Each structure stands twice: as structure tokens, then as C-alpha cells.
Amino acid sequence: MAGKTVLILGGGWGGMALAYSLRGMLSSEHRVVVIEKNETFALCLSNLKIMTGGWNSPADAQRQMSKMSREGIEWVHEEALKIDPVTREVQTETQTLQGDYLVVALGASLNPGAVPGFDEAAHNLYEATGAHQLQKALKEFDGGKIAVVISRMPYRCPAAPFEASFLMDSMFRERGIREQVEITVYTPGPRPMAVAGPIVGDALLGMLAEREIGYGGDHVVSSIDPESRTMLFGDEEVSYDLLVGVPPHIAPQIVIDSGLTDSSGYIPTHPQSLEVLTDVENLETEYTGVYAIGDVTTITLLNMMPLPKAGVFAEAEARVVAQSIEASIAGKPGTLGYDGLGACHVDIGGGLAAFAGGNFYASPGPRITLEPPSARYHQEKEEYEQVLDAWFVR
Ligand SMILES: Cc1cc2nc3c(=O)[nH]c(=O)nc-3n(C[C@H](O)[C@H](O)[C@H](O)COP(=O)(O)OP(=O)(O)OC[C@H]3O[C@@H](n4cnc5c(N)ncnc54)[C@H](O)[C@@H]3O)c2cc1C
């Protein structure tokens, strides 16, 4: 059997998990090539730890991709510029690479410019540098109004902005100044983590209320004025002293330019096989051997909402695609596909986390439960970062 080439486009959470799995499954005659513009890797959830001072700086959370523990992965540290899904070719700044299999794992890009004033006014929780600036600002903050603003849906990790507000609540309680601080989360969604359904959403609203954290649902920010420290939600003006922001997300430009996105703005992807779809209604594709995983995809659930964008899904999808590619190369039957199971730990500060999990592919919609906060769930959340000890050597 001639050696095959698997091209993985993007070495973030999903691409990294895929490269690691696949390299462990395929013999050395087959190539695993990752095209990734960055040379360092970090789990985005570290931003919360940077915010609270658990990591002193962004560098503490980063690992060098060259120190990946599995040998035999080829790294191309260049910006990918063009994808041809028919020929499975990817053009970078200096070369054109061609794969027998192509997996698009380019994530979602941030587009703060879509909200006038965001860049100047907000501490961007979704960038490690923004989380670091926020760490400093929170240390100096001694009272006033903190607004956490989710600009647009969908965004990565539906829980993260709520976790940020719980963690700030906990920090100010520890400092004994909680009564001087007002914290409010504003979001375009009706309920927190709306895809998980009303029971989970209402439980989270209860947890926010218990901690006197305000909630502004159905609030779409239209502009922010850094001078007057005010935001406009349509006609409603809201003032703040410190602004924590989640910028609008968008598919990476290369994905849009390559014609892979649909009206959702992301790549329509088969819920089980993770193949890139060309006919969404009939779940069919004209592209052979082309997959997409993680935040760059859109997978429509039975309640017509998209599967949330989170690393746990990217990683689970990576495992399915690794098995499918291995089976295809070996000429074996494929796998059953992704089962839609997923979970998230919601850090609420004080060494506690709640746990939301279940089947996102259930009918008529996701069947998700929220387990109350415990130290055990917090410990499990901390253990996410242990994946880095498997993927990288120090
Ligand atoms: C504050 C915060 C907290 C979070 N907490 C959690 C959590 O607790 N649990 C959880 O499951 N998820 C969490 N997430 C979400 C999680 O980080 C993402 O869902 C996950 O990283 C998605 O993986 P991905 O591989 O699809 O994309 P990414 O990890 O974003 O990777 C995409 C990669 O593609 C590269 N790339 C993009 N364009 C190009 C190009 N043109 N050429 C070359 N390379 C390119 C990027 O550099 C990047 O490395 C959190 C996110 C944030 C921001």
C-alpha cells in the first residue's frame, strides 16, 4: 500500500488532538502534515486562569509545538492562503501541499471591528493578551460597574463569559469589596447557554442571581464609546467602569474565500462523519476525503440550533476523524461516527465548578443536565490542562 498524506489545516485544540491521535495510529510510511501559522500552542481556557492571576502571563500557558511528544508529525508554520476542496490542495505563502485526506481545523477568528469602539474600550477575554490586561485592571479595580459583554452569537465556549463573571465575583468577595462592585452580563441570547435548553439556562440564571450578578438577556451591543464609558444596545444606553468583552466571531477569511461556508458563516459539516457537506439537506458531499472539525464547522442540531463551539467537541470530532481516516487507509469499514456527547465544567470560583453535559444529538433537542457545583468538578476542570502534558514534552 502506497503511503498516504493527511493534511491538517490548523494546529489548535482540534488539529493538535487529530495530529496526536493519527500519528499514533498510522505507520511511518503515511505522512501527517499540520499547517499552522503559530509556533506556540495554548488552551484558550487558560485565559480565565490568566485573568485571575493563576497564570502570571500568557507565556506561562504556552507550549512550543516543536516539542510535541509524538514524533513524525510534519509542521508547516505558515499562513494558509487558499483551499481547493476538490483537489485537496492548500496553498501557503511559499508552497502548495496536496493530501489524500484534508481536515479543516482552522477555528473561528475574532472580529472586534464589527462593534465600533470594542477594541478601544473592552478587555478582550478571548485573547491571552486581553486576559492579561484584564488581570492588571482587576487588581487595581476598587469599586464600580463591571459589564461583561457577549457581542454576537455564536461564540466559543458558551460558558466562558459566565465563568469570568463568577470568578470576578469570587475575587471581589475574597478582597472584601464585593458590595462596592456591580457585575452584569449582557448577551444577545435569551438565556445563558441557550442551546442546552431552558432547565440548564434557568439553573445558571439562579446561580447568577444567588451571587447578585446581573443578567441582560436579548441585548445586542451596537456600539461602545470608550470616552463616556457607555454602550448602546439599540436605543438603550448602559454605562460601565470596566468592560470585559467577547468580540464577534467569524470563520477565517481563507475559509470564506474558498467558498466552503454556508449562510451560517461556517462550514456545514456532517454530524456523524464530519465530512464537509455540499448538500446540507441531503447530508451529501462532492468532496472526497475532506473533513472539518471544531469551531470552523456548523452542525445543525435537531432543535435547529448549532452545536456549540468548544474544545471538547473539537477534540471528540478529531478522534472520530482519526479513526475514519485510519479505517479508510486500511480498507476497513468506517466508524459509527460522532455521537454528539459533550460536557463542560463551569468554574464558579472558590474552588467549585458545576458540570453541564449530555447528548447534543438527542431528539427533539439536546438532553443536557446541570450538576450542582462541587470541588470534584473543579478538579476535573483543572485536569483539562493535563492533556498538554501528554501532547508536549517540557
Ligand atoms: C476564554 C475561553 C475559555 C474556553 N474554555 C473552554 C473550556 O473550558 N472547554 C472547552 O471545551 N472549550 C473552551 N473554549 C473554547 C475552545 O478554546 C475552542 O472551542 C477550541 O479551541 C476550538 O478548537 P479548534 O481546533 O476548532 O480551533 P482553534 O483551537 O482556535 O485552532 C485553530 C487554529 O488554526 C490556526 N489558523 C487559523 N487560520 C489559519 C491560517 N490561515 N493558516 C494557518 N493556521 C491558521 C490558528 O492559529 C489556530 O491555532 C474556551 C475558549 C475561550 C476563548
Side-chain angles (χ1 to χ4, degrees):
M1 183 203 319
K4 302 285 184 192
T5 298
V6 183
L7 277 190
I8 302 173
L9 198 42
W13 194 329
M16 191 63 81
L18 177 61
Y20 183 82
S21 297
L22 212 44
R23 192 62 284 173
M25 291 171 158
L26 298 180
S27 57
S28 57
E29 68 193 305
H30 305 296
R31 297 171 66 202
V32 176
V33 183
V34 185
I35 304 167
E36 165 57 54
K37 60 186 176 185
N38 294 328
E39 298 205 5
T40 57
F41 175 84
L43 291 175
C44 281
L45 56 95
S46 303
N47 289 7
L48 292 171
K49 206 161 155 184
I50 295 169
M51 179 193 95
T52 55
W55 289 121
N56 195 28
S57 78
D60 293 343
Q62 287 170 353
R63 303 290 181 100
Q64 288 294 327
M65 289 188 184
S66 58
K67 294 206 169 160
M68 194 154 186
S69 59
R70 281 230 207 281
E71 285 178 11
I73 296 168
E74 297 171 46
W75 294 98
V76 177
H77 286 300
E78 288 185 53
E79 171 130 24
L81 301 176
K82 197 170 170 215
I83 307 165
D84 185 334
V86 177
T87 57
R88 295 180 299 277
E89 283 180 327
V90 176
Q91 204 176 304
T92 70
E93 288 150 332
T94 67
Q95 55 189 307
T96 300
L97 296 119
Q98 204 265 337
D100 298 288
Y101 302 90
L102 172 65
V103 186
V104 185
L106 290 169
S109 299
L110 301 178
N111 187 21
V115 177
F118 183 101
D119 258 338
E120 300 80 5
H123 294 282
N124 183 348
L125 181 66
Y126 275 46
E127 299 274 16
T129 47
H132 193 216
Q133 283 159 9
L134 180 57
Q135 179 199 102
K136 292 183 200 153
L138 289 173
K139 273 185 193 150
E140 287 162 18
F141 197 76
D142 55 10
K145 283 183 175 178
I146 298 183
V148 178
V149 173
I150 300 163
S151 304
R152 300 284 182 271
M153 312 289 258
Y155 63 94
R156 274 183 264 166
C157 191
F162 297 98
E163 292 181 283
S165 62
F166 286 130
L167 289 166
M168 287 189 287
D169 163 78
S170 177
M171 284 165 80
F172 292 121
R173 281 182 203 281
E174 272 172 34
R175 280 172 52 191
I177 59 163
R178 180 62 180 94
E179 278 169 15
Q180 283 135 251
V181 182
E182 207 178 285
I183 305 173
T184 309
V185 186
Y186 297 94
T187 169
R191 284 193 189 84
M193 296 168 64
V195 69
I199 297 176
V200 171
D202 287 347
L204 277 165
L205 284 176
M207 285 160 61
L208 291 168
E210 264 171 44
R211 288 158 186 81
E212 294 175 336
I213 298 169
Y215 182 78
D218 296 316
H219 274 64
V220 183
V221 64
S222 34
S223 64
I224 308 170
D225 182 351
E227 296 293 314
S228 62
R229 296 193 180 182
T230 52
M231 299 177 279
L232 280 179
F233 297 96
D235 294 337
E236 185 186 345
E237 189 178 275
V238 170
S239 67
Y240 65 85
D241 297 303
L242 192 150
L243 186 61
V244 181
V246 177
H249 290 37
I250 186 173
Q253 196 57 44
I254 174 185
V255 175
I256 299 169
D257 293 347
S258 302
L260 291 175
T261 54
D262 68 3
S263 58
S264 72
Y266 294 91
I267 303 178
T269 304
H270 192 289
Q272 280 87 26
S273 72
L274 287 322
E275 287 168 297
V276 169
L277 295 173
T278 46
D279 178 348
V280 178
E281 226 159 86
N282 297 303
L283 293 180
E284 283 174 1
T285 184
E286 289 164 14
Y287 307 141
T288 312
V290 183
Y291 302 84
I293 58 172
D295 292 353
V296 76
T297 67
T298 184
I299 293 179
T300 306
L301 304 175
L302 293 177
N303 64 356
M304 301 316 287
M305 294 177 87
L307 182 72
K309 299 193 182 302
V312 288
F313 298 114
E315 195 174 332
E317 292 163 2
R319 282 194 294 270
V320 170
V321 170
Q323 285 165 10
S324 300
I325 291 176
E326 194 244 353
S328 163
I329 289 176
K332 298 187 297 198
T335 66
L336 287 176
Y338 180 45
D339 54 14
L341 298 183
C344 99
H345 294 76
V346 185
D347 197 337
I348 60 154
L352 299 173
F355 177 80
N359 184 356
F360 283 81
Y361 287 175
S363 176
R367 204 169 298 131
I368 311 298
T369 54
L370 184 78
E371 300 293 331
S374 74
R376 177 166 75 93
Y377 292 136
H378 188 263
Q379 179 60 28
E380 286 176 7
K381 171 115 192 167
E382 293 278 299
E383 284 166 7
Y384 277 2
E385 286 191 334
Q386 284 177 8
V387 72
L388 301 184
D389 294 327
W391 289 351
F392 299 97
V393 291
R394 283 278 181 192

